[in-house]
């Protein structure tokens, strides 16, 4: 019976490692999404700062500001697809983490149940042996 409990403990360790790996991958996905979001915010800040100042401006200055704004807008649009992909990857990885936690919890319950059954069987064996020994002692005395 002890081999069964040891087997469940080994399986529990494997499930714990699988959960940790899934959480690590989720952390990486969240980090990538944060980086893309920060990049989008920096581009927006640069775009907002690239406004024409009040006063007389020459044509070259106006053209350079318009070109910069156009390039920043295209960079912003180019980030939309990678950011959406990163969000999707993060959502999928969150589901993987939840599933890994559920599997680990299930194994914990099975291991605890197995340990309880092993303890019950051990107690039953001891009580049967004690009853047998008591019977033998009483027979010797009479």
């Amino acid at each position: 019976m002890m081999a069964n409990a040891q087997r469940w403990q080994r399986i529990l360790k494997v499930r714990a490692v699988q959960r940790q790996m899934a959480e690590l991958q989720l952390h990486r996905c969240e980090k990538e999404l944060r980086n893309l979001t920060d990049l989008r915010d920096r581009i927006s800040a640069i775009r907002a700062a690239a406004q024409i100042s009040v006063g007389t401006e020459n044509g070259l200055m106006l053209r350079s500001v318009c070109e910069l704004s156009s390039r920043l807008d295209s960079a912003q649009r180019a980030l939309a697809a990678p950011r959406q992909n990163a969000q999707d990857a993060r959502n999928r990885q969150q589901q993987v983490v939840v599933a890994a936690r559920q599997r680990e919890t299930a194994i914990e319950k099975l291991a605890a149940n197995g340990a309880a059954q092993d303890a019950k069987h051990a107690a039953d064996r001891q009580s049967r042996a004690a009853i047998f020994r008591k019977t033998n002692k009483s027979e010797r005395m009479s």
Side-chain angles (χ1 to χ4, degrees):
M1 291 295 178
M2 294 302 275
N4 195 22
Q6 291 173 347
R7 178 178 167 263
W8 284 117
Q9 288 302 317
R10 284 193 310 268
I11 292 171
L12 183 60
K13 287 179 185 178
V14 169
R15 295 291 189 212
V17 169
Q18 288 174 340
R19 178 191 47 80
Q20 290 170 352
M21 289 173 55
E23 287 175 348
L24 181 65
Q25 187 64 30
L26 175 63
H27 177 71
R28 288 180 184 153
C29 290
E30 288 175 343
K31 184 178 176 183
E32 181 181 346
L33 182 60
R34 271 194 313 271
N35 287 341
L36 289 171
T37 303
D38 291 344
L39 182 58
R40 183 193 65 186
D41 294 343
R42 286 191 307 240
I43 290 173
S44 295
I46 293 170
R47 173 75 167 86
Q51 298 297 322
I52 299 171
S53 61
V54 176
T56 59
E57 301 290 332
N58 62 17
L60 186 59
M61 176 74 126
L62 289 173
R63 192 174 94 194
S64 66
V65 168
C66 288
E67 183 181 348
L68 177 62
S69 296
S70 173
R71 288 181 184 212
L72 290 171
D73 288 341
S74 65
Q76 190 102 14
R77 283 190 303 273
L79 276 178
R83 188 170 177 279
Q84 184 62 42
N85 292 341
Q87 281 180 331
D88 293 343
R90 185 203 49 199
N91 293 339
R92 283 191 307 272
Q93 195 59 38
Q94 281 177 334
Q95 292 172 349
V96 169
V97 168
V98 168
R101 284 182 185 152
Q102 289 174 343
R103 285 193 305 270
E104 184 180 14
T105 303
I107 295 298
E108 285 175 349
K109 289 178 182 178
L110 288 172
N113 190 18
Q117 285 180 350
D118 286 346
K120 183 179 181 266
H121 290 306
D124 288 346
R125 281 192 306 273
Q126 283 182 338
S127 67
R128 280 183 283 184
I131 291 170
F132 182 71
R133 278 185 253 142
K134 285 181 184 177
T135 318
N136 285 340
K137 287 180 183 179
S138 65
E139 289 177 359
R140 289 182 194 168
M141 297 193 121
S142 30

